[in-house]
Amino acid sequence: MNFIKCSLLFGLFVFTVDCYGIVIVEPSKQDAKKTYRTIAELKKFFKKHGMQYLERNEFVYQPVLKRNMKKDSYYLGHKDVADFLTKKYEDLVRNYHRAPIELRWVNKNVGYGVFAYKPIKKGDFIATYTGQVDYKEKIDDKDYCWAYSVCADDKKPLSCDSKYKGNEMRYVNHGSHSNVIMKYILVS
């Protein structure tokens, strides 16, 4: 099994982020041995931990849905790469693709982590990081809330917060030798 490090993928964008300062509640010995692979298992896990599982981003800040992302300065500055990656991965994002990954307990220092339970080839899409997309002037809790590199049309900063609503990608941990990378993917 391979530990997946630093792989947070958004439905609209992909970002590099660091995870730190996470409050970890150690599970019972029985729960520490469990793995969560299916959506049904993950939904139960999230509910047990007071969270809601999201297969797709929830757009709290509705004006962003009307934004033409192809006019965004970040997109325009990375147009060729963004278009290539969108063409390559757009159907996977739209169809809720998940590579063969599972969530399981690592240890008290790390908490839960995401692992590959079958080989994932270089260049394969892993999953979309989901959460609540909203306008946030300042992000106080950076454990599960990430700033987008673009703003809404009204220049308000956007974020994706998976503290209470999200998916297993919120448990991806970072490391000095990351084995995956994040990419900007434009999906309307």
Side-chain angles (χ1 to χ4, degrees), residues 107-119:
N107 60 43
K108 190 175 180 178
N109 293 324
V110 174
Y112 285 93
V114 177
F115 294 81
Y117 63 85
K118 289 183 181 176

Side-chain angles (χ1 to χ4, degrees), residues 65-94:
L65 295 173
K66 297 175 185 165
R67 178 162 169 82
N68 181 352
M69 300 311 257
K70 289 193 173 187
K71 291 183 178 179
D72 181 77
S73 61
Y74 185 87
Y75 169 79
L76 293 171
H78 303 87
K79 186 180 180 321
D80 292 340
V81 173
D83 286 345
F84 170 78
L85 293 172
T86 298
K87 184 177 179 182
K88 183 174 181 177
Y89 299 119
E90 182 175 23
D91 288 340
L92 296 172
V93 172
R94 288 185 187 283

Side-chain angles (χ1 to χ4, degrees), residues 144-187:
Y144 300 108
C145 189
W146 316 109
Y148 279 108
S149 59
V150 299
C151 293
D153 279 338
D154 53 12
K155 305 297 183 212
K156 291 184 177 183
L158 297 173
S159 66
C160 185
D161 189 342
S162 68
K163 185 170 186 172
Y164 301 108
K165 294 181 177 183
N167 67 2
E168 65 272 31
M169 296 310 287
R170 74 190 294 279
Y171 290 102
V172 171
N173 294 290
H174 77 288
S176 57
H177 302 291
S178 297
N179 56 0
V180 296
I181 56 173
M182 290 63 59
K183 297 290 184 186
Y184 180 92
I185 301 172
L186 182 63
V187 178

